[in-house]
Amino acid sequence: MDELKPKKIIDVCCGAKMFWFDKNNPNVEFCDIRTLPKTEYYPNCYIEICPDTICDFTNLPFADNSFYLTVFDPPHLPDAGDGSIMALKYGCLKGDWKKMLHDGFLECLRVTKPNGTIIFKWSEIRVPLSEILPLFPIEPLFGNRCVKRGNKTHWLCFMKMEEQ
């Protein structure tokens, strides 16, 4: 029997995997705290949340230094109603969400291999990126600093150095 090869990439809060070209990429461990069967939220518009691993991104069930690439696209709406389409599609920040994001980033660092990469995605529809970055213990290497033409989504790249 062939042994399963360890996956090289983890998406710690994959949701509906909306930005993935291959939503079943065998190299990715897709994680989320929730599942959702295929659900119609508008006529002929569907969402499905089916992670490989159901878990909280602040307490990942993986060994230290397991993945070369970590994707961290946490919920970014602190005020989406529980039954809203926005909460359904993107999740919702609850409680002490600043601590939750801080702890989630620390978990991303923990499971990323030394010299590995963390890609962080943040939409500043409600909370500006300038309030989020101080929650993290390291600075991004690069990313889009400004948003143009109404697109308020930032993509940032971090690297876990060997000493971290």
Side-chain angles (χ1 to χ4, degrees), residues 8-12 20 60 66-73 104-105 107-113 116-120 156 158:
K8 298 175 191 266
I9 304 164
I10 185 171
D11 183 340
V12 302
W20 286 93
L60 298 169
S66 295
F67 301 94
Y68 292 96
L69 174 63
T70 299
V71 178
F72 187 31
D73 176 16
F105 193 88
E107 274 294 274
C108 289
L109 274 174
R110 182 185 69 75
V111 301
T112 304
K113 291 180 180 284
T117 305
I118 299 170
I119 300 297
F120 175 68
L156 304 173
F158 296 81

Side-chain angles (χ1 to χ4, degrees), residues 25-69:
N25 186 320
N27 295 305
V28 181
E29 183 68 31
F30 291 105
C31 302
D32 207 285
I33 199 166
R34 61 197 178 123
T35 62
L36 181 70
K38 189 173 181 180
T39 302
E40 187 175 38
Y41 60 93
Y42 285 134
N44 298 315
C45 294
Y46 297 88
I47 185 171
E48 180 178 26
I49 300 171
C50 53
D52 301 320
T53 302
I54 299 170
C55 62
D56 182 337
F57 67 76
T58 66
N59 186 21
L60 298 169
F62 303 100
D64 296 357
N65 307 318
S66 295
F67 301 94
Y68 292 96
L69 174 63

Side-chain angles (χ1 to χ4, degrees), residues 48-158:
E48 180 178 26
I49 300 171
C50 53
D52 301 320
T53 302
I54 299 170
C55 62
D56 182 337
F57 67 76
T58 66
N59 186 21
L60 298 169
F62 303 100
D64 296 357
N65 307 318
S66 295
F67 301 94
Y68 292 96
L69 174 63
T70 299
V71 178
F72 187 31
D73 176 16
H76 54 270
L77 299 170
D79 54 0
D82 288 336
S84 71
I85 292 170
M86 293 300 280
L88 178 74
K89 288 177 77 175
Y90 303 110
C92 188
L93 296 169
K94 300 281 187 190
D96 187 355
W97 56 267
K98 288 185 177 184
K99 180 177 180 355
M100 180 181 68
L101 292 176
H102 170 267
D103 294 350
F105 193 88
L106 289 179
E107 274 294 274
C108 289
L109 274 174
R110 182 185 69 75
V111 301
T112 304
K113 291 180 180 284
N115 299 316
T117 305
I118 299 170
I119 300 297
F120 175 68
K121 178 179 167 265
W122 185 255
S123 175
E124 56 179 18
I125 290 172
R126 298 285 189 273
V127 181
L129 182 65
S130 61
E131 288 185 32
I132 302 305
L133 289 180
L135 304 175
F136 302 160
I138 60 174
E139 291 185 5
L141 295 172
F142 58 87
N144 60 330
R145 291 178 184 243
C146 63
V147 289
K148 297 179 182 177
R149 297 183 192 100
N151 181 359
K152 295 186 174 201
T153 300
H154 294 273
W155 292 83
L156 304 173
C157 181
F158 296 81

